[in-house]
Amino acid sequence: PSLLLVHYLCCAVVIATMSNLANVHKCGLNEVILFLLAIIFGTGCSICSKTMMGLHGTNGTVDETGIPTVELFQKPLFQTFGMFIGMMFGLIMHWFVLAFKISFPGYDFDQDADEGDVEIPTEKTSLTSKMKAESNVDNASKEIPLWMYFFLAIPAIFDLAATALCMMGLQYLDVSIYQMLRGSGIIFVALMKQHVLKDHLHQYHWVGVFWNVVSVVIVGGTAMLASGGDGEGSNNSNTSETFWGVCLLMSGAFVQAVQFVFEEHVMTMDIPAPPLLLIGMEGLWGTILSICVMYPLGYYLPGSDHGSYEDPFNTWAMFTHSKNIQVAFFIYFFAIFFYNLFAVLVTFKLSSVWHAILDNFRPITVWGTDLFIFYYINPLFGEVWTQWSYLQIFGMAVLLYGTAIYNAPNAGSLLLEGQWWAFGINLSSEYEEVKRELEQAEIDAKWEAKRQEFKVRTHSSFIESPRISIHTQALRGIGAQHN
């Protein structure tokens, strides 16, 4: 019955999500496939990450009796390092696309953009959303400035710190709890947008933040109750370790939120960086920082891994002597790369709001897959259903509810207009105001694109025709005035 409950919940959310996805501007079969692929590989990332922490292997040494020494492969820093290695593969694909001029989202090789293909500004922004919203030109044909390659080290620093903290917390938590608590980043983003960037947030934003806080309390409490219960859980951490894992994970969510706010505050210029380059350069800088900063700190900080918090030499020895660890890592490697690739493409083809919805949809698929692994594949892995799992389902529902409220009035969101599930809250006037602002922003963006088009034409040898309309001549005049 418990598995059926999660199964029906997954099906309901998939149907609701796909029905909303089908109504997104210019959304077709390709966009739906991208969204589903991002979910599949995103789920694989989380499952592989937790599975690797439960694997055992030998480092090539033997004990007094000549039996190979077997250890648990709990290496959070190694997984962080592996994530950046997987992302760095994007550079190879970037150069391959440029060399052979392969048609790929974000790479426009002397092709005219669709006149109405304009990105509407949204609440959550990223490098790619800024790139697309502010520049509707041939990004691939531009020469990428040298400073851009170094500039992309800044989000890599934030990503390194956030991922390392989250991986450290994951070793003490079930992967479903881990995935849900990562959704708490929206709380920190809202607080910093209001008090650091001085952006005005609407009332429905704070209602969404409130329900996200409630979900964090419920999910975090579920983890604490399960760890202090009768030991039926699949995670072997005690209450204090679980609390420490929750703290580490929340710290990682905070750092990730700082990254989002930094990008929104700084990325106001036109950045000619295609999606594959963004992924690859962040992976390159993350790899360099992992080798030069993260691993030396992990080696010299005291811990339980042969005297270090994480011993890179022991990690390498276990990796080279354990076939199952190698297989798990390579699966993790490709899952990381393809998830980041499809997640960026979801942002590029749809909007950054759908990237946020993607991140908050993953807890359902991760939990359902983890339960399936435990009961139908191997009980040594996966996650067991406990007496507190019903409370976890409730917390997950609250998380989705709060996120849907926060993302209004975009596709896939919930509008508080006095319905029973809105608890009498009616913010219709606020939604109308926001919709008017978005419509005006879309009109301004289209007008600017049109102005730039006619500005280019004023530099051509095109001879004026008496049949050209006054409106067209006016547009050309505006373009020339801003030259």
Side-chain angles (χ1 to χ4, degrees):
S2 58
L3 286 177
L4 287 175
L5 180 61
V6 176
H7 171 74
Y8 290 141
L9 179 62
C10 290
C11 291
V13 176
V14 167
I15 293 172
T17 302
M18 290 300 103
S19 62
N20 281 312
L21 192 60
N23 294 324
V24 178
H25 177 61
K26 287 195 174 183
C27 176
L29 179 61
N30 291 338
E31 286 76 9
V32 173
I33 292 175
L34 280 177
F35 190 84
L36 291 176
L37 287 173
I39 290 174
I40 292 171
F41 283 102
T43 302
C45 286
S46 299
I47 297 298
C48 288
S49 181
K50 183 63 177 179
T51 301
M52 270 202 294
M53 290 188 177
L55 294 176
H56 290 78
T58 177
N59 58 8
T61 62
V62 295
D63 57 19
E64 297 83 358
T65 62
I67 300 176
T69 305
V70 178
E71 301 177 17
L72 184 64
F73 193 73
Q74 278 198 340
K75 309 287 186 177
L77 301 186
F78 177 73
Q79 291 202 23
T80 305
F81 177 70
M83 181 197 74
F84 287 118
I85 291 291
M87 293 173 65
M88 194 166 57
F89 192 71
L91 284 178
I92 299 176
M93 292 195 63
H94 167 71
W95 293 324
F96 189 78
V97 168
L98 289 181
F100 295 96
K101 296 187 180 298
I102 300 173
S103 178
F104 197 88
Y107 295 80
D108 186 12
F109 299 102
D110 298 326
Q111 295 175 357
D112 295 331
D114 291 338
E115 184 175 303
D117 191 14
V118 180
E119 178 73 21
I120 303 173
T122 55
E123 281 297 326
K124 184 179 177 182
T125 58
S126 63
L127 288 171
T128 52
S129 63
K130 282 290 182 185
M131 176 187 68
K132 187 182 177 185
E134 297 176 8
S135 177
N136 199 23
V137 296
D138 185 359
N139 292 315
S141 62
K142 284 186 176 182
E143 181 180 355
I144 299 172
L146 181 63
W147 64 264
M148 170 58 60
Y149 293 96
F150 292 94
F151 187 78
L152 292 176
I154 299 176
I157 293 172
F158 287 119
D159 205 4
L160 172 65
T163 305
L165 288 169
C166 290
M167 288 299 174
M168 293 175 190
L170 176 59
Q171 59 187 328
Y172 304 116
L173 300 170
D174 284 324
V175 67
S176 61
I177 297 290
Y178 158 84
Q179 196 64 57
M180 291 180 203
L181 289 179
R182 290 203 66 175
S184 63
I186 194 174
I187 301 171
F188 302 117
V189 169
L191 292 173
M192 284 187 285
K193 280 171 64 69
Q194 179 78 18
H195 300 291
V196 178
L197 297 182
K198 305 300 181 183
D199 288 349
H200 171 69
L201 295 184
H202 297 281
Q203 294 182 54
Y204 64 83
H205 288 134
W206 292 113
V207 174
V209 169
F210 167 77
W211 286 114
N212 272 267
V213 172
V214 172
S215 71
V216 169
V217 173
I218 294 173
V219 174
T222 301
M224 299 288 290
L225 290 170
S227 63
D230 52 10
E232 292 180 357
S234 57
N235 196 68
N236 297 322
S237 303
N238 55 41
T239 304
S240 60
E241 289 177 336
T242 301
F243 178 75
W244 176 237
V246 171
C247 291
L248 286 171
L249 198 54
M250 296 295 290
S251 301
F254 172 77
V255 176
Q256 199 81 62
V258 174
Q259 177 185 351
F260 291 149
V261 173
F262 168 81
E263 290 174 352
E264 183 166 352
H265 183 62
V266 176
M267 309 297 169
T268 56
M269 70 290 287
D270 176 21
I271 301 177
L276 290 174
L277 179 65
L278 294 176
I279 298 171
M281 284 307 301
E282 186 171 339
L284 176 62
W285 284 114
T287 301
I288 294 172
L289 291 169
S290 297
I291 296 173
C292 299
V293 178
M294 183 183 69
Y295 258 130
L297 286 175
Y299 181 68
Y300 287 106
L301 287 176
S304 58
D305 188 6
H306 298 269
S308 303
Y309 179 80
E310 184 169 323
D311 185 352
F313 303 104
N314 180 63
T315 301
W316 178 249
M318 292 187 68
F319 180 79
T320 55
H321 287 87
S322 303
K323 188 72 173 180
N324 56 344
I325 294 177
Q326 294 175 16
V327 173
F329 174 77
F330 284 115
I331 295 175
Y332 177 70
F333 172 89
F334 286 106
I336 280 287
F337 170 72
F338 283 110
Y339 168 67
N340 282 281
L341 173 63
F342 290 125
V344 168
L345 291 181
V346 164
T347 301
F348 199 89
K349 297 290 286 184
L350 296 172
S351 72
S352 59
V353 173
W354 279 100
H355 193 164
I357 293 174
L358 169 66
D359 289 339
N360 287 282
F361 183 79
R362 283 170 62 194
I364 302 175
T365 57
V366 167
W367 194 14
T369 304
D370 223 26
L371 288 170
F372 180 82
I373 290 173
F374 182 88
Y375 286 103
Y376 293 103
I377 299 179
N378 190 339
L380 296 177
F381 301 99
E383 185 174 340
V384 67
W385 183 274
T386 70
Q387 58 180 329
W388 306 109
S389 295
Y390 293 102
L391 184 61
Q392 185 175 338
I393 283 185
F394 179 67
M396 181 168 58
V398 173
L399 172 66
L400 295 173
Y401 175 70
T403 304
I405 292 174
Y406 185 91
N407 284 334
N410 300 283
S413 62
L414 292 176
L415 304 183
L416 302 177
E417 297 177 324
Q419 305 93 329
W420 65 268
W421 42 262
F423 300 99
I425 300 176
N426 191 339
L427 301 177
S428 301
S429 59
E430 196 171 55
Y431 293 129
E432 290 298 323
E433 178 185 351
V434 173
K435 288 179 180 178
R436 284 194 298 270
E437 292 175 357
L438 291 176
E439 289 172 358
Q440 185 61 46
E442 183 178 13
I443 293 173
D444 292 343
K446 289 182 177 180
W447 175 262
E448 177 63 20
K450 201 73 174 177
R451 188 186 69 81
Q452 291 294 337
E453 177 186 348
F454 280 94
K455 178 180 176 180
V456 172
R457 291 186 181 182
T458 57
H459 292 279
S460 67
S461 58
F462 183 78
I463 300 176
E464 296 290 343
S465 169
R467 295 186 178 86
I468 298 177
S469 67
I470 296 176
H471 178 66
T472 301
Q473 295 179 29
L475 280 174
R476 290 184 177 176
I478 292 173
Q481 290 172 12
H482 290 79
N483 189 13

